[in-house]
């Protein structure tokens, strides 16, 4: 049992913090910018809700965060009343935000200078993965720090792995998003084509999902896509944030991402259609 804090009780953070309490049996303190959510969490799970990230970090063995983007992460760590000012020497900060590798390295350096550990640990598995405690966690940082963090992360993870030094977790998450982008566009084109061809889309997917075209996106999203429903998970606004991180990193490391760049523009069109909060399978909507 450890003393831990969780900063950012959104779609992902709220259930993840819950697993630390219920499955991990840890003593959990929570902070959320909108205080009512932290109060609700504390009432549901039995923990302490505090008013600033700094207060949340005081006296903890580990502090977790899952906020929006690089700037949000900087605010809750090194901003005014940020968590880093409250971290004890030897403690560990684990960041589950999908952010840039740069901000991970920057915060890792600041943490190391102040005498505590920092792991970048973005996740995959979506809202359902968070709620069911079966996320995949991709980590970057120092091996000795990671070894201490992993058993605590296990409360909400099915797989957790150290991918390399600081930033390697975020780089791995970029690979994940690159693999998803082009695939969802191809699935959208397949469903669109089947509809235009007058085929029974259910029957088509039933058959081809037994073969080489099978994917998580196909199995979990084809039915709602066929019904024109796009309210089932990871939002287009978040995906654009992630793809812009990938494209910026690729500009730096020289990787060629032509399809990812195109899909990013398709998502911009979905945003213009009013679909910023639709799920990522809404690439189909712009084909209609
Ligand atoms: P969300 O529901 O929008 O929650 C974001 C959380 O961050 C909220 O608690 C929000 O506080 C807090 N926050 C944002 N900016 C802040 C700031 N400047 N200062 C303090 N708190 C701030 O988002 P989410 O879906 O949980 O996603 C969180 C992260 O996980 C993102 O980086 C996302 O890309 C990543 N992720 C999401 C999924 C998914 O399926 N949703 C899957 C994998 C990875 P308030 O309550 O006050 O707004």
């Amino acid at each position: 049992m450890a003393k831990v804090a969780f900063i950012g009780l959104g779609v992902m953070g709220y259930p993840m913090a819950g697993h630390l309490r219920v499955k991990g049996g840890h003593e959990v303190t929570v902070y959320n910018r909108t205080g009512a959510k932290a109060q609700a969490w504390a009432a549901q799970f039995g923990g302490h809700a505090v008013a600033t990230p700094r207060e949340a970090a005081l006296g903890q063995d580990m502090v977790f965060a899952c906020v929006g983007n690089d700037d949000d992460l900087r605010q809750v760590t090194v901003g005014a009343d940020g968590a880093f000012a409250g971290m004890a020497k030897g403690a560990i900060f684990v960041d589950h935000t999908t952010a840039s590798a740069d901000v991970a390295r920057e915060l890792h350096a600041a943490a190391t200078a102040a005498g505590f550990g920092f792991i970048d640990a973005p996740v995959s598995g979506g809202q359902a993965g968070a709620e069911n405690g079966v996320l995949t966690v991709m980590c970057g940082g120092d091996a000795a720090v990671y070894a201490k963090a992993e058993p605590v992360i296990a409360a909400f993870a099915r797989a957790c792995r150290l991918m390399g030094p600081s930033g390697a977790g975020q780089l791995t998450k970029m690979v994940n998003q690159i693999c998803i982008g082009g695939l969802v566009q191809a699935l959208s084109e397949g469903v669109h084509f089947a509809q235009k061809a007058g085929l029974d889309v259910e029957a088509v997917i039933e058959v081809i999902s037994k073969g080489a075209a099978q994917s998580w996106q196909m199995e979990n999203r084809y039915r709602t896509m066929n019904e024109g429903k796009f309210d089932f998970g990871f939002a287009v606004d978040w995906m654009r944030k992630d793809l812009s991180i990938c494209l910026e990193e690729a500009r730096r490391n020289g990787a060629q991402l032509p399809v990812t760049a195109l899909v990013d523009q398709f998502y911009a069109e979905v945003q213009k259609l009013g679909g910023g909060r639709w799920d990522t399978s809404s690439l189909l909507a712009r084909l209609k």
Side-chain angles (χ1 to χ4, degrees):
M1 222 186 108
K3 277 192 79 194
V4 305
F6 207 106
I7 295 167
L9 302 172
V11 165
M12 302 297 282
Y14 194 101
M16 289 162 83
H19 288 299
L20 286 169
R21 179 82 195 97
V22 176
K23 204 166 144 205
H26 304 298
E27 194 181 313
V28 184
T29 297
V30 290
Y31 163 79
N32 196 68
R33 179 178 56 183
T34 307
K37 249 193 254 177
Q39 298 295 345
W41 188 96
Q44 183 179 344
F45 292 102
H48 321 282
V50 294
T52 66
R54 185 180 159 279
E55 261 182 87
L58 285 171
Q60 307 294 349
D61 302 316
M62 280 177 71
V63 179
F64 295 83
C66 190
V67 292
N69 59 26
D70 283 21
D71 288 341
D72 300 325
L73 179 59
R74 285 196 185 93
Q75 264 177 32
V76 300
T77 51
V78 294
D81 272 328
F84 277 21
M87 295 290 291
K89 288 217 186 302
I92 301 171
F93 192 99
V94 178
D95 175 41
H96 293 298
T97 310
T98 303
S100 69
D102 271 355
V103 77
R105 293 184 198 110
E106 172 190 317
L107 294 178
H108 175 268
T112 306
F116 61 92
F118 181 91
I119 302 282
D120 50 296
V123 300
S124 173
Q127 182 174 354
E131 287 170 355
N132 297 322
V134 293
L135 291 168
T136 294
V137 189
M138 304 151 241
C139 300
D142 309 325
V145 175
Y146 173 79
K148 284 191 209 155
E150 195 201 58
V152 185
I153 294 172
F156 48 76
R158 176 164 56 193
C160 184
R161 183 163 171 177
L162 181 65
M163 307 307 299
S166 181
Q170 295 296 355
L171 291 171
T172 304
K173 174 73 181 181
M174 291 175 213
V175 176
N176 188 78
Q177 301 307 73
I178 291 164
C179 292
I180 288 174
L183 190 147
V184 174
Q185 174 62 16
L187 177 60
S188 300
E189 291 182 17
V191 170
H192 177 64
F193 180 92
Q195 289 170 340
K196 287 280 183 196
L199 289 167
D200 175 346
V201 175
E202 285 268 336
V204 169
I205 300 289
E206 204 174 293
V207 168
I208 69 170
S209 65
K210 304 284 186 298
Q214 187 274 345
S215 68
W216 185 98
Q217 298 289 338
M218 178 177 281
E219 292 202 341
N220 290 279
R221 291 288 178 268
Y222 87 89
R223 188 166 283 134
T224 45
M225 288 169 81
N226 191 33
E227 291 167 354
K229 294 178 182 162
F230 304 113
D231 192 20
F232 299 91
F234 192 60
V236 166
D237 287 343
W238 280 145
M239 188 59 165
R240 284 220 73 207
K241 182 251 308 176
D242 292 3
L243 294 180
S244 83
I245 292 171
C246 298
L247 293 167
E248 198 177 320
E249 188 67 39
R251 269 192 289 278
R252 206 167 313 142
N253 70 17
Q256 300 289 320
L257 303 180
V259 172
T260 305
L262 195 58
V263 170
D264 180 51
Q265 290 313 300
F266 293 164
Y267 277 126
E269 289 175 24
V270 174
Q271 286 176 316
K272 282 193 198 125
L273 291 174
R277 298 301 296 178
W278 295 349
D279 74 66
T280 47
S281 71
S282 59
L283 283 175
L284 177 62
R286 61 169 284 287
L287 297 176
K288 297 204 166 172

